[in-house]
Structure formats: structure tokens, C-alpha cells
Amino acid sequence: MSTGAVAGPDGRLRCPWGLSTEDYIAYHDEEWGRPVHGDDALFERLCLEAFQSGLSWITILRRREGFRAAFAGFSIPAVARFTEADAARLLADEGIIRNRAKIEATLANARVLAGWQAGELDTLIWSFAPDRANRPAPKTLADVPAVTDASTALSKALKKRGLRFIGPTTAYALMQACGLVDDHLADCVARRG
């Protein structure tokens, strides 16, 4: 597989990973790398990236609506009120990834975040966005890191504040997905310039 941008079915150049399925094309073109703000929206991404750990992203992407239904649209206050009965319900829900540790981390993280001020998660996460001027556009997939100093620092900051299941690699995936960094390849149609 090529590591540079590849022409899609419409002839436009895209990151190679974004061409394997129609689901990926839409996610790549319309969502990945676009700025995401708002505590609940960032909580959703944080949770989905944690659930993705050890799995392919397409598995999570195709179950996203199931996750949203199961976790009350990722409303932090709503998820923070989930009970042991809710945890048992989630472990039986075939529409999501039924991993006890990830489910428990999601509920625990919601409880922690429910004690934060409105906008605090957004402000904290975005405070780790690196200066775009100091980040050249990657030309190939080999130029895209899995972990950076900023993602390591973000992971540490979130853990220090009580959040779980957010290591440096997951933190970097979050940064990519939420637009803190733009890792679309230099020739990719979705690159923001």
C-alpha cells in the first residue's frame, strides 16, 4: 500500500487509510482532523478513542450510533448518574464494545468530569494543541507519529485530574480526530492548508 496520498473513487487525493470503505471516506473527508469543541463532544471522542484501543477504528465507527444510544448521547451529567444497573446493561449491549474496563473507565471519567466547570475539558484539551506553524504537513504515513510530547503531556494532565484509560497514544489519536493537529497528508484534499 502506498504511504502517500492516493486517488479516491472521485479522483481526489486522500490519506490512504481514508479510502478502504465508504464509512472511512465520509469520516476522513468530513470529520477527522476538524476542530471539535464542547465538553460533551470531546467526552464522546475521548470515550470512543479509549474503546478503540486494541481494535480497528472502523469497528468503533460502525458502532458509533450504538455507543451514542447506550451512553445517553455522551452527556457528561447523564453518564455520571449511571448506576451499577446501567453498567450491567452496557455489558450486555451488543451495539457497543462490551469491555468491562473500558465501560468502567467511561463511567468513572464522566463522574470526574461532572465536577468540572463548564468548558473546562475543552479548555484543558485545547491547551495542548501545538503551534501549526511548527508542524510541517506530513508527506507520507511514515511522517505521522503515534505519540508526541504534547500527547504525552495531555495524557499526564488528564490522568492527574483523575481520568482513566487515556495513554499517550490514545491522547494523540484524540488530538488527530479533534483537529488539535492536522495529520492529513500534504497532498490530501481534506488538509486544511
Side-chain angles (χ1 to χ4, degrees), residues 82-169:
F82 278 19
T83 64
E84 289 300 318
D86 290 306
R89 171 185 56 81
L90 292 167
L91 283 168
D93 189 334
E94 294 182 7
I96 66 170
I97 304 302
R98 296 173 291 170
N99 178 296
R100 181 178 302 276
K102 293 175 183 181
I103 290 170
E104 289 175 355
T106 299
L107 302 185
N109 289 347
R111 290 179 189 120
V112 167
L113 292 170
W116 292 19
Q117 296 296 317
E120 193 171 350
L121 178 62
D122 188 300
T123 299
L124 177 66
I125 288 174
W126 277 91
S127 73
F128 289 90
D131 182 1
R132 289 184 189 271
N134 295 330
R135 296 192 84 238
K139 295 186 185 322
T140 69
L141 293 179
D143 297 331
V144 178
V147 175
T148 63
D149 290 345
S151 75
T152 300
L154 173 58
S155 171
K156 287 179 182 177
L158 291 169
K159 286 179 180 180
K160 183 177 180 182
R161 301 283 304 270
L163 273 68
R164 298 172 17 196
F165 230 101
I166 179 73
T169 303

Side-chain angles (χ1 to χ4, degrees), residues 7-189:
D10 58 3
R12 299 179 345 168
L13 294 176
R14 290 182 177 84
C15 303
W17 67 264
L19 290 170
S20 61
T21 70
E22 287 185 27
D23 296 333
Y24 265 154
I25 292 172
Y27 178 70
H28 170 274
D29 287 5
E30 300 164 15
E31 192 169 352
W32 191 77
R34 303 286 185 252
V36 174
H37 287 281
D39 293 344
D40 289 345
L42 288 165
F43 176 60
E44 174 184 357
R45 302 301 176 79
L46 183 67
C47 295
L48 294 178
E49 293 297 344
F51 273 99
Q52 186 273 329
S53 182
L55 302 170
S56 69
W57 179 246
I58 196 68
T59 301
I60 303 305
L61 193 58
R62 289 182 173 159
R63 293 179 185 216
R64 191 172 189 183
E65 291 310 314
F67 277 107
R68 286 176 171 162
F71 288 99
F74 291 99
S75 163
I76 293 169
V79 177
R81 291 189 299 270
F82 278 19
T83 64
E84 289 300 318
D86 290 306
R89 171 185 56 81
L90 292 167
L91 283 168
D93 189 334
E94 294 182 7
I96 66 170
I97 304 302
R98 296 173 291 170
N99 178 296
R100 181 178 302 276
K102 293 175 183 181
I103 290 170
E104 289 175 355
T106 299
L107 302 185
N109 289 347
R111 290 179 189 120
V112 167
L113 292 170
W116 292 19
Q117 296 296 317
E120 193 171 350
L121 178 62
D122 188 300
T123 299
L124 177 66
I125 288 174
W126 277 91
S127 73
F128 289 90
D131 182 1
R132 289 184 189 271
N134 295 330
R135 296 192 84 238
K139 295 186 185 322
T140 69
L141 293 179
D143 297 331
V144 178
V147 175
T148 63
D149 290 345
S151 75
T152 300
L154 173 58
S155 171
K156 287 179 182 177
L158 291 169
K159 286 179 180 180
K160 183 177 180 182
R161 301 283 304 270
L163 273 68
R164 298 172 17 196
F165 230 101
I166 179 73
T169 303
T170 300
Y172 193 68
L174 176 74
M175 293 172 77
Q176 292 173 303
C178 294
L180 279 76
V181 296
D182 185 355
D183 277 343
H184 284 286
L185 299 182
D187 294 332
C188 177
V189 68

